[in-house]
């Protein structure tokens, strides 16, 4: 099966940059390190999707990350997701940003990041990260039309991770 070099070579040829990460199994035998095999584990990740395209799936952990209830969404659908209001920008910050989104975006991101250092917000962030750790991937639901220019991308920056955006 080969030693460490053989296993590491298999990672390079098998990985292909997908959302799974390689996990190697080893055993120590007769003074040498032997590769037991390579298996794949789903990489932890956040997937962003508009709530209007959301279809509840018992296999998927979903978290709604907007402060306001989304118009037109039935309660039966909405209750299948966890609503983390405390991870969203304050009402005052949201209002200020919406006065002129193009000019205010950079300032909005900075102010939102400051808000995310609060105790309540940090508790919500820990809860979100714990869900990701437990379930591997978490579907982040939002009603915003352009998540790349909203609190969603600012949250992505704050967490220091990359979100996968779905249409």
């Amino acid at each position: 099966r080969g030693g460490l070099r053989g296993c590491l070579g298999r990672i390079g040829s098998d990985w292909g940059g997908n959302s799974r990460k390689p996990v190697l199994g080893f055993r120590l035998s007769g003074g040498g390190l032997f590769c037991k095999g390579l298996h794949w584990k789903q990489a932890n990740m956040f997937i962003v999707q508009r709530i209007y395209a959301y279809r509840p799936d018992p296999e998927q952990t979903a978290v709604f990350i907007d402060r306001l209830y989304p118009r037109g969404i039935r309660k039966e659908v909405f209750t299948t997701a966890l609503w983390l209001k405390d991870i969203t920008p304050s009402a005052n910050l949201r209002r200020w940003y919406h006065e002129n989104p193009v000019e205010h975006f950079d300032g909005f991101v900075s102010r939102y990041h400051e808000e995310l250092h609060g105790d309540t917000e940090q508790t919500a962030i820990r809860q979100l990260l714990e869900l990701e750790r437990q379930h591997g991937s978490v579907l982040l639901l939002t009603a915003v039309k352009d998540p790349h220019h909203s609190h969603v991308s600012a949250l992505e920056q704050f967490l220091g991770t990359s979100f996968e955006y779905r249409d």
Side-chain angles (χ1 to χ4, degrees):
R1 288 239 206 220
L4 180 60
R5 249 184 251 168
C7 281
L8 293 176
R10 289 165 63 187
I11 290 176
S13 63
D14 291 347
W15 195 346
N18 59 29
S19 64
R20 299 179 308 157
K21 62 184 176 184
V23 177
L24 294 173
F26 292 100
R27 66 178 164 83
L28 206 55
S29 176
L33 184 65
F34 292 90
C35 181
K36 286 177 36 182
L38 175 69
H39 66 278
W40 293 96
K41 178 181 176 186
Q42 184 67 34
N44 292 0
M45 63 189 314
F46 292 106
I47 302 160
V48 177
Q49 179 180 315
R50 290 198 72 210
I51 193 160
Y52 302 104
Y54 173 60
R55 300 294 169 258
D57 179 355
E59 301 293 317
Q60 179 67 59
T61 302
V63 178
F64 185 66
I65 56 171
D66 292 353
R67 184 164 296 272
L68 304 176
Y69 191 92
R71 291 181 179 196
I73 298 296
R74 293 186 341 265
K75 286 185 182 180
E76 299 82 33
V77 171
F78 190 78
T79 57
T80 62
L82 172 66
W83 191 359
L84 276 183
K85 282 186 189 180
D86 292 333
I87 209 165
T88 65
S90 66
N92 287 337
L93 180 56
R94 229 178 5 86
R95 275 188 227 107
W96 175 79
Y97 171 62
H98 287 293
E99 288 173 6
N100 190 337
V102 174
E103 282 187 25
H104 290 173
F105 186 69
D106 291 337
F108 167 76
V109 170
S110 297
R111 291 178 184 183
Y112 179 42
H113 286 181
E114 288 174 20
E115 287 184 355
L116 288 172
H117 286 286
D119 292 339
T120 306
E121 292 80 1
Q122 284 292 302
T123 300
I125 288 170
R126 282 192 297 276
Q127 186 176 5
L128 182 65
L129 294 174
E130 181 61 21
L131 287 170
E132 181 197 26
R133 189 189 67 71
Q134 288 176 355
H135 300 282
S137 69
V138 175
L139 186 61
L140 300 177
L141 300 170
T142 182
V144 299
K145 292 179 184 172
D146 185 5
H148 293 284
H149 297 97
S150 73
H151 69 288
V152 177
S153 65
L155 179 62
E156 176 182 20
Q157 290 174 13
F158 185 83
L159 294 176
T161 188
S162 294
F163 290 175
E164 177 184 317
Y165 291 85
R166 291 188 182 162
D167 292 330

